[in-house]
Amino acid sequence: MIKSISPLISHHRDQLKAESRLNRTLLIGAILAALVAFSVFLLTLFGHYPLPVGERIFAGNPERVLGASNFFVATAIGAALRMWRMRQTRIKLLIAEAFLREDEEETGLRLLLEPMFGPDVWRGTKLKDAGGTEW
């Protein structure tokens, strides 16, 4: 029964990897857009309007471009945090799958359940580190 979970874990890990690629593209695009928007803000602030209609749009309120720059920075931060969380989840899934394949079902299942139940899932078990010390 437990062995049948392994392909499901692999499939979910592949889905997370594909979603992480999308977030990476979003991160790069948001960083570039933030840099462009901030440079347009600086140029507008100093009176050099980079766009043909820039003077009419930004002369009275250059903060519009600064707001767009802040939006792109926040988008980049959000994408980076999602990438970090997905990477941590993929690593946990990989380790849990290895435990399941090595007939350590209880440890593998506890590792899979840890995101839902928190560190309390490890209570009541005696874990040993590589040196054989229980903790």
Side-chain angles (χ1 to χ4, degrees), residues 102-119:
E102 293 294 324
D103 294 328
E104 289 288 331
E105 289 91 5
E106 185 177 345
T107 306
L109 284 176
R110 286 178 190 265
L111 191 60
L112 287 174
L113 293 174
E114 187 180 24
M116 261 193 292
F117 298 114

PDB file of all heavy atoms in Angstrom, residues 102-119:
ATOM      1  N   GLU A 102      12.889   2.730   1.029  1.00  0.00           N
ATOM      2  CA  GLU A 102      13.813   1.966   1.870  1.00  0.00           C
ATOM      3  C   GLU A 102      13.098   1.280   3.025  1.00  0.00           C
ATOM      4  O   GLU A 102      13.715   0.955   4.037  1.00  0.00           O
ATOM      5  CB  GLU A 102      14.918   2.880   2.417  1.00  0.00           C
ATOM      6  CG  GLU A 102      15.858   3.413   1.363  1.00  0.00           C
ATOM      7  CD  GLU A 102      16.677   2.318   0.716  1.00  0.00           C
ATOM      8  OE1 GLU A 102      17.063   1.356   1.410  1.00  0.00           O
ATOM      9  OE2 GLU A 102      16.920   2.420  -0.501  1.00  0.00           O
ATOM     10  N   ASP A 103      11.798   1.093   2.917  1.00  0.00           N
ATOM     11  CA  ASP A 103      10.981   0.411   3.916  1.00  0.00           C
ATOM     12  C   ASP A 103      10.974   1.109   5.270  1.00  0.00           C
ATOM     13  O   ASP A 103      10.886   0.474   6.314  1.00  0.00           O
ATOM     14  CB  ASP A 103      11.410  -1.054   4.076  1.00  0.00           C
ATOM     15  CG  ASP A 103      11.145  -1.851   2.824  1.00  0.00           C
ATOM     16  OD1 ASP A 103      10.157  -1.536   2.122  1.00  0.00           O
ATOM     17  OD2 ASP A 103      11.923  -2.783   2.533  1.00  0.00           O
ATOM     18  N   GLU A 104      11.083   2.406   5.278  1.00  0.00           N
ATOM     19  CA  GLU A 104      10.928   3.223   6.486  1.00  0.00           C
ATOM     20  C   GLU A 104       9.625   3.998   6.357  1.00  0.00           C
ATOM     21  O   GLU A 104       9.603   5.223   6.309  1.00  0.00           O
ATOM     22  CB  GLU A 104      12.111   4.182   6.640  1.00  0.00           C
ATOM     23  CG  GLU A 104      13.408   3.547   7.010  1.00  0.00           C
ATOM     24  CD  GLU A 104      13.412   3.062   8.448  1.00  0.00           C
ATOM     25  OE1 GLU A 104      12.703   3.643   9.295  1.00  0.00           O
ATOM     26  OE2 GLU A 104      14.122   2.084   8.720  1.00  0.00           O
ATOM     27  N   GLU A 105       8.509   3.242   6.275  1.00  0.00           N
ATOM     28  CA  GLU A 105       7.213   3.845   5.988  1.00  0.00           C
ATOM     29  C   GLU A 105       6.799   4.876   7.033  1.00  0.00           C
ATOM     30  O   GLU A 105       6.280   5.933   6.709  1.00  0.00           O
ATOM     31  CB  GLU A 105       6.118   2.772   5.870  1.00  0.00           C
ATOM     32  CG  GLU A 105       6.218   1.924   4.635  1.00  0.00           C
ATOM     33  CD  GLU A 105       7.053   0.677   4.860  1.00  0.00           C
ATOM     34  OE1 GLU A 105       7.467   0.435   5.993  1.00  0.00           O
ATOM     35  OE2 GLU A 105       7.268  -0.059   3.877  1.00  0.00           O
ATOM     36  N   GLU A 106       7.036   4.554   8.298  1.00  0.00           N
ATOM     37  CA  GLU A 106       6.581   5.456   9.356  1.00  0.00           C
ATOM     38  C   GLU A 106       7.287   6.809   9.262  1.00  0.00           C
ATOM     39  O   GLU A 106       6.645   7.856   9.335  1.00  0.00           O
ATOM     40  CB  GLU A 106       6.840   4.837  10.731  1.00  0.00           C
ATOM     41  CG  GLU A 106       6.285   5.688  11.846  1.00  0.00           C
ATOM     42  CD  GLU A 106       6.473   5.050  13.215  1.00  0.00           C
ATOM     43  OE1 GLU A 106       6.778   3.840  13.294  1.00  0.00           O
ATOM     44  OE2 GLU A 106       6.306   5.785  14.188  1.00  0.00           O
ATOM     45  N   THR A 107       8.593   6.793   9.073  1.00  0.00           N
ATOM     46  CA  THR A 107       9.336   8.047   8.966  1.00  0.00           C
ATOM     47  C   THR A 107       8.916   8.811   7.713  1.00  0.00           C
ATOM     48  O   THR A 107       8.740  10.033   7.754  1.00  0.00           O
ATOM     49  CB  THR A 107      10.854   7.767   8.925  1.00  0.00           C
ATOM     50  OG1 THR A 107      11.206   6.984  10.054  1.00  0.00           O
ATOM     51  CG2 THR A 107      11.644   9.055   8.931  1.00  0.00           C
ATOM     52  N   GLY A 108       8.745   8.105   6.595  1.00  0.00           N
ATOM     53  CA  GLY A 108       8.309   8.749   5.363  1.00  0.00           C
ATOM     54  C   GLY A 108       6.944   9.394   5.494  1.00  0.00           C
ATOM     55  O   GLY A 108       6.730  10.524   5.044  1.00  0.00           O
ATOM     56  N   LEU A 109       6.018   8.681   6.121  1.00  0.00           N
ATOM     57  CA  LEU A 109       4.677   9.247   6.308  1.00  0.00           C
ATOM     58  C   LEU A 109       4.690  10.430   7.266  1.00  0.00           C
ATOM     59  O   LEU A 109       3.980  11.415   7.056  1.00  0.00           O
ATOM     60  CB  LEU A 109       3.712   8.176   6.803  1.00  0.00           C
ATOM     61  CG  LEU A 109       3.238   7.195   5.746  1.00  0.00           C
ATOM     62  CD1 LEU A 109       2.363   6.118   6.370  1.00  0.00           C
ATOM     63  CD2 LEU A 109       2.491   7.915   4.642  1.00  0.00           C
ATOM     64  N   ARG A 110       5.480  10.337   8.302  1.00  0.00           N
ATOM     65  CA  ARG A 110       5.571  11.472   9.237  1.00  0.00           C
ATOM     66  C   ARG A 110       6.154  12.699   8.531  1.00  0.00           C
ATOM     67  O   ARG A 110       5.712  13.817   8.761  1.00  0.00           O
ATOM     68  CB  ARG A 110       6.408  11.113  10.453  1.00  0.00           C
ATOM     69  CG  ARG A 110       5.690  10.185  11.412  1.00  0.00           C
ATOM     70  CD  ARG A 110       6.594   9.817  12.575  1.00  0.00           C
ATOM     71  NE  ARG A 110       6.020   8.769  13.374  1.00  0.00           N
ATOM     72  CZ  ARG A 110       5.298   8.990  14.475  1.00  0.00           C
ATOM     73  NH1 ARG A 110       5.083  10.209  14.877  1.00  0.00           N
ATOM     74  NH2 ARG A 110       4.798   7.982  15.154  1.00  0.00           N
ATOM     75  N   LEU A 111       7.131  12.480   7.673  1.00  0.00           N
ATOM     76  CA  LEU A 111       7.716  13.582   6.920  1.00  0.00           C
ATOM     77  C   LEU A 111       6.692  14.192   5.960  1.00  0.00           C
ATOM     78  O   LEU A 111       6.639  15.407   5.789  1.00  0.00           O
ATOM     79  CB  LEU A 111       8.944  13.093   6.154  1.00  0.00           C
ATOM     80  CG  LEU A 111       9.831  14.152   5.532  1.00  0.00           C
ATOM     81  CD1 LEU A 111      10.370  15.087   6.605  1.00  0.00           C
ATOM     82  CD2 LEU A 111      10.984  13.501   4.795  1.00  0.00           C
ATOM     83  N   LEU A 112       5.860  13.344   5.360  1.00  0.00           N
ATOM     84  CA  LEU A 112       4.812  13.847   4.469  1.00  0.00           C
ATOM     85  C   LEU A 112       3.726  14.596   5.237  1.00  0.00           C
ATOM     86  O   LEU A 112       3.139  15.552   4.734  1.00  0.00           O
ATOM     87  CB  LEU A 112       4.171  12.698   3.700  1.00  0.00           C
ATOM     88  CG  LEU A 112       5.006  12.069   2.590  1.00  0.00           C
ATOM     89  CD1 LEU A 112       4.282  10.859   2.022  1.00  0.00           C
ATOM     90  CD2 LEU A 112       5.298  13.073   1.500  1.00  0.00           C
ATOM     91  N   LEU A 113       3.450  14.170   6.465  1.00  0.00           N
ATOM     92  CA  LEU A 113       2.389  14.796   7.256  1.00  0.00           C
ATOM     93  C   LEU A 113       2.855  16.020   8.035  1.00  0.00           C
ATOM     94  O   LEU A 113       2.030  16.762   8.561  1.00  0.00           O
ATOM     95  CB  LEU A 113       1.793  13.770   8.221  1.00  0.00           C
ATOM     96  CG  LEU A 113       1.020  12.630   7.572  1.00  0.00           C
ATOM     97  CD1 LEU A 113       0.609  11.608   8.620  1.00  0.00           C
ATOM     98  CD2 LEU A 113      -0.182  13.154   6.824  1.00  0.00           C
ATOM     99  N   GLU A 114       4.150  16.232   8.108  1.00  0.00           N
ATOM    100  CA  GLU A 114       4.682  17.351   8.885  1.00  0.00           C
ATOM    101  C   GLU A 114       4.148  18.714   8.439  1.00  0.00           C
ATOM    102  O   GLU A 114       3.824  19.551   9.293  1.00  0.00           O
ATOM    103  CB  GLU A 114       6.210  17.344   8.850  1.00  0.00           C
ATOM    104  CG  GLU A 114       6.820  18.368   9.772  1.00  0.00           C
ATOM    105  CD  GLU A 114       8.333  18.354   9.723  1.00  0.00           C
ATOM    106  OE1 GLU A 114       8.898  17.909   8.702  1.00  0.00           O
ATOM    107  OE2 GLU A 114       8.928  18.796  10.698  1.00  0.00           O
ATOM    108  N   PRO A 115       4.002  19.008   7.128  1.00  0.00           N
ATOM    109  CA  PRO A 115       3.457  20.315   6.759  1.00  0.00           C
ATOM    110  C   PRO A 115       2.041  20.554   7.271  1.00  0.00           C
ATOM    111  O   PRO A 115       1.657  21.684   7.537  1.00  0.00           O
ATOM    112  CB  PRO A 115       3.472  20.294   5.226  1.00  0.00           C
ATOM    113  CG  PRO A 115       4.504  19.306   4.862  1.00  0.00           C
ATOM    114  CD  PRO A 115       4.475  18.274   5.954  1.00  0.00           C
ATOM    115  N   MET A 116       1.248  19.482   7.426  1.00  0.00           N
ATOM    116  CA  MET A 116      -0.124  19.644   7.907  1.00  0.00           C
ATOM    117  C   MET A 116      -0.197  19.755   9.422  1.00  0.00           C
ATOM    118  O   MET A 116      -0.929  20.571   9.963  1.00  0.00           O
ATOM    119  CB  MET A 116      -0.979  18.461   7.456  1.00  0.00           C
ATOM    120  CG  MET A 116      -1.789  18.755   6.244  1.00  0.00           C
ATOM    121  SD  MET A 116      -3.031  17.514   5.959  1.00  0.00           S
ATOM    122  CE  MET A 116      -2.046  16.106   5.531  1.00  0.00           C
ATOM    123  N   PHE A 117       0.553  18.899  10.119  1.00  0.00           N
ATOM    124  CA  PHE A 117       0.419  18.815  11.575  1.00  0.00           C
ATOM    125  C   PHE A 117       1.556  19.485  12.333  1.00  0.00           C
ATOM    126  O   PHE A 117       1.542  19.521  13.556  1.00  0.00           O
ATOM    127  CB  PHE A 117       0.324  17.345  11.999  1.00  0.00           C
ATOM    128  CG  PHE A 117      -0.876  16.660  11.424  1.00  0.00           C
ATOM    129  CD1 PHE A 117      -0.729  15.641  10.510  1.00  0.00           C
ATOM    130  CD2 PHE A 117      -2.152  17.044  11.781  1.00  0.00           C
ATOM    131  CE1 PHE A 117      -1.828  14.998   9.972  1.00  0.00           C
ATOM    132  CE2 PHE A 117      -3.264  16.418  11.250  1.00  0.00           C
ATOM    133  CZ  PHE A 117      -3.101  15.396  10.341  1.00  0.00           C
ATOM    134  N   GLY A 118       2.558  19.973  11.625  1.00  0.00           N
ATOM    135  CA  GLY A 118       3.674  20.657  12.272  1.00  0.00           C
ATOM    136  C   GLY A 118       4.640  19.687  12.926  1.00  0.00           C
ATOM    137  O   GLY A 118       4.590  18.474  12.707  1.00  0.00           O
ATOM    138  N   PRO A 119       5.510  20.201  13.762  1.00  0.00           N
ATOM    139  CA  PRO A 119       6.528  19.356  14.394  1.00  0.00           C
ATOM    140  C   PRO A 119       5.961  18.363  15.406  1.00  0.00           C
ATOM    141  O   PRO A 119       6.667  17.455  15.847  1.00  0.00           O
ATOM    142  CB  PRO A 119       7.469  20.351  15.067  1.00  0.00           C
ATOM    143  CG  PRO A 119       6.710  21.613  15.184  1.00  0.00           C
ATOM    144  CD  PRO A 119       5.689  21.611  14.099  1.00  0.00           C
TER     145      PRO A 119
END
